[in-house]
Amino acid sequence: MSVAAEHVHQHGQEPSFTDPSCYHATLATLLKEHTPEADPAFVLGGTAGTDAELADGWVTVHDSLPTLCETLRGFGYDVVSQPLDGNLDALLEDMRDGRPVVAIADTFHLAYYWIDHGRAHAPHAVVLRAYNPADDTVRLTDPVDIVYFDDRVDVGTLIPALSDTHVELSWLTVRPTRSAGVPVASWPGRFQSYAGSLTGAGGDRLSGVELTQWLAGAIDDVLSTLDRMRRPKRAPGADPERDRVAGLLLGMWSYHHTLRWLERHLALVPSLAAAGQLDDATRLEFDVAADSIERASQDWLVARGLLTRSVVLSAVDRGRYRDEILHRLAEVTSAHLAASDALRRLAGRSGW
């Protein structure tokens, strides 16, 4: 399992996080600025939602940032998000007051972002802090693992990345309130909510089991479309089926991050949220829930990896991959059910 790595950089003693998820890494960096001693997973891992919606027989996985912002608010943080329209005055004003911000920028214009710079327009979260009006520079930290960057840059060089209309750009601040924290009485409800997000049915958003079972049922359509992806890339919108499969793969990547951080969250809860010493049976339930989510996260990532690799396979090999993908998806369902059962049992226990 991929885990966030903590770094102390030359610009100061405050740590930042390196993680495959730019949302989790940047928000964790902001949380570390407020409470350096705390593990951000206790807050950011407090959601099990897929952000997936079924419409006209196909799944769309929505951007997970709004869900993470709601999770922060649920733990007592004030989150303010604003659109970026090229006018950076309000953003810079916040940083003049010493507040770090997360900005959603366009990777096409980020010179250090070697993957997409000058090649692809995509939204990407970075941390901006320590604005110096004297020389009009700002410290830019990009904690995502594949491009980790932390240095001062001229604000003028960021304007294209923060104003291009190809992607939806925004910025947000995160501040703890006096009520930051989770009341003991709310934990049973939280466990029930996590369980529902993992295995429930009929909600506005698909549960983890519903998403997994939909993918298993649609596997032949997905593989057929992936086979066509070996052909030259077409303009966005010219091949809707191809676009929606690409969106599905991106959504699977996002849900993998949700599961990774949920596992870390569940591993932390016993020591950080328990009202008293937990008995062995209760600790065992936490172990079952966390271990099951870790297994689900790993198998979900394997299934996604097999899907992406199927693009270059022969028809015979694609059949073998199909069987393994279905096997891994069945394992994800089994792990979700085991975690959900443990969480529901925890919800019914006293001592929270």
Side-chain angles (χ1 to χ4, degrees):
M1 181 184 79
S2 298
V3 295
E6 216 171 309
H7 293 269
V8 177
H9 196 268
Q10 62 181 346
H11 291 280
Q13 293 304 305
E14 71 277 12
S16 61
F17 260 64
T18 302
D19 191 81
S21 165
C22 66
Y23 288 162
H24 289 86
T26 51
L27 292 172
T29 298
L30 261 59
L31 291 177
K32 276 293 190 181
E33 291 243 353
H34 294 302
T35 51
E37 73 283 357
D39 189 330
F42 183 67
V43 174
L44 294 176
T47 177
T50 65
D51 294 302
E53 183 178 25
L54 183 63
D56 299 324
W58 194 264
V59 158
T60 297
V61 183
H62 298 281
D63 185 20
S64 62
L65 184 57
T67 296
L68 285 171
C69 289
E70 283 305 307
T71 302
L72 284 161
R73 293 184 183 105
F75 279 83
Y77 287 84
D78 181 27
V79 182
V80 179
S81 179
Q82 302 182 55
L84 269 172
D85 55 7
N87 184 349
L88 308 186
D89 290 346
L91 182 152
L92 295 175
E93 190 63 36
D94 249 21
M95 286 192 291
R96 279 191 186 95
D97 294 338
R99 301 188 186 100
V101 305
V102 168
I104 309 302
D106 185 345
T107 58
F108 187 92
H109 300 287
L110 295 174
Y112 70 87
Y113 200 89
W114 59 272
I115 307 170
D116 286 343
H117 177 238
R119 187 186 68 87
H121 294 277
H124 182 68
V126 299
V127 176
L128 301 177
R129 50 188 162 175
Y131 172 60
N132 183 356
D135 60 5
D136 202 32
T137 64
V138 66
R139 178 181 172 190
L140 187 155
T141 303
D142 186 338
V144 76
D145 59 354
I146 202 167
V147 296
Y148 188 89
F149 177 87
D150 192 355
D151 210 342
R152 299 200 67 81
V153 299
D154 292 330
V155 170
T157 65
L158 294 178
I159 291 177
L162 300 177
S163 58
D164 198 308
T165 58
H166 283 86
V167 297
E168 187 174 341
L169 306 175
S170 62
W171 64 282
L172 60 88
T173 56
V174 176
R175 300 163 191 160
T177 65
R178 290 183 179 180
S179 60
V182 181
V184 169
S186 72
W187 281 105
R190 281 189 168 274
F191 297 148
Q192 290 285 11
S193 176
Y194 299 160
S197 293
L198 292 170
T199 62
D204 294 337
R205 293 288 189 264
L206 298 179
S207 69
V209 166
E210 287 177 318
L211 175 60
T212 304
Q213 292 178 343
W214 173 86
L215 180 55
I219 194 65
D220 290 326
D221 288 341
V222 173
L223 287 171
S224 175
T225 304
L226 283 168
D227 181 43
R228 291 181 15 241
M229 285 184 165
R230 289 185 291 183
R231 304 168 192 172
K233 187 175 181 180
R234 301 174 66 183
D239 190 342
E241 288 187 354
R242 184 168 171 164
D243 289 345
R244 70 185 186 181
V245 169
L248 172 65
L249 292 174
L250 181 61
M252 291 181 70
W253 180 239
S254 177
Y255 187 48
H256 165 64
H257 296 321
T258 297
L259 292 174
R260 286 193 303 113
W261 282 72
L262 175 62
E263 183 275 330
R264 293 181 58 204
H265 168 81
L266 292 173
L268 288 167
V269 170
S271 61
L272 297 180
Q277 185 68 30
L278 299 181
D279 58 43
D280 290 342
T282 302
R283 290 191 176 278
L284 178 60
E285 298 290 12
F286 274 108
D287 289 343
V288 169
D291 291 348
S292 297
I293 292 300
E294 182 178 14
R295 289 202 330 270
S297 169
Q298 292 170 342
D299 283 316
W300 184 255
L301 185 62
V302 170
R304 182 186 182 276
L306 293 171
L307 283 172
T308 58
R309 290 192 63 184
S310 71
V311 174
V312 297
L313 298 176
S314 67
V316 173
D317 286 335
R318 197 174 304 113
R320 294 172 53 238
Y321 271 53
R322 176 187 184 277
D323 292 343
E324 183 61 20
I325 291 167
L326 291 175
H327 168 68
R328 295 290 181 156
L329 293 177
E331 291 294 303
V332 172
T333 294
S334 176
H336 273 38
L337 291 169
S340 179
D341 287 346
L343 288 164
R344 288 194 167 98
R345 289 192 294 269
L346 282 169
R349 289 181 177 271
S350 60
W352 293 102

